[in-house]
Amino acid sequence: MRFTVSLRIYLLAGFLVSLTCIVATIGVAALNSLGGTLEEVSRVNSATTNLLLGGLAFDGERRDIAEFQQTRSEDAVSRLRAREHEASTRFDAADALITVHADGFGRDRKDLIALLRRQTSNFADAAEAVVAGRQTVVPNPDEVGGNLRHLIELQSARGDVLQQEADANAVQQTRMLAGIVVLAVLLGALVSFLLVRGIVRPLRAMTGAMA
């Protein structure tokens, strides 16, 4: 009798612990899945921010080019080179945050960043060549502005898609976890009732026999 009651108590405790572990494991897996999506959203937003800052640096570079075309001064070239370095640093930071997927998705944005780096560097190189007398014309910066706008549009569109996926994933994971918790509570209550009843009945029988 004592062995049967003790065994059922152990079974009840073991079942409840196992059920808790299963629910916790599923919850952690769901949170990890959601966390991965949110992390990619953060990376896309950070890359877009760096592109915008690189665009601001390039805008200053554009003004330096206009000044250089008027003055042909070495000071303008120095400022142009400093702006080029700032823009290139921002573009490098954005490039590091963009992931190329197995299907090649993301490669177009990395290629555009590489093109922007070359173009912004070419302006400073051309200005130095003009000062040295090796060249007479500085390239038109308008093409860079168009490429940069296109790249930022691609990044913004990617960020919007990921945010929608994250929102939908969050709703789905929340509903799934809620369903699992409700199911676990009901199953735990049912099994606990059956095991407790199996414990109480022998105790009642033993108490009745002693009375």
Side-chain angles (χ1 to χ4, degrees), residues 44 47-52 54-55 87 90-95 98 106-117 119 143-159:
V44 169
T48 303
T49 299
N50 278 295
L51 290 175
L52 290 172
R90 291 297 181 181
F91 292 151
D92 286 344
D95 182 70
I98 295 176
R107 173 56 59 188
D108 55 343
R109 285 172 287 160
K110 280 186 171 288
D111 291 342
L112 270 175
I113 290 176
L115 176 61
L116 286 169
R117 283 200 299 261
Q119 289 177 323
E143 183 180 354
V144 177
N147 289 333
L148 183 60
R149 284 192 297 273
H150 179 55
L151 180 56
I152 291 175
E153 288 173 358
L154 289 176
Q155 277 296 105
S156 298
R158 177 60 177 163

Side-chain angles (χ1 to χ4, degrees), residues 83-129:
R83 299 275 195 184
E84 181 268 328
H85 176 72
E86 181 182 354
S88 180
T89 300
R90 291 297 181 181
F91 292 151
D92 286 344
D95 182 70
L97 290 166
I98 295 176
T99 302
V100 178
H101 296 264
D103 59 357
F105 184 80
R107 173 56 59 188
D108 55 343
R109 285 172 287 160
K110 280 186 171 288
D111 291 342
L112 270 175
I113 290 176
L115 176 61
L116 286 169
R117 283 200 299 261
R118 291 194 300 270
Q119 289 177 323
T120 53
S121 178
N122 288 341
F123 293 133
D125 293 342
E128 290 180 346

Side-chain angles (χ1 to χ4, degrees), residues 14-36:
F15 172 78
L16 293 177
V17 170
S18 300
L19 189 61
T20 302
C21 291
I22 292 172
V23 173
T25 300
I26 295 175
V28 170
L31 291 176
N32 286 339
S33 174
L34 180 60

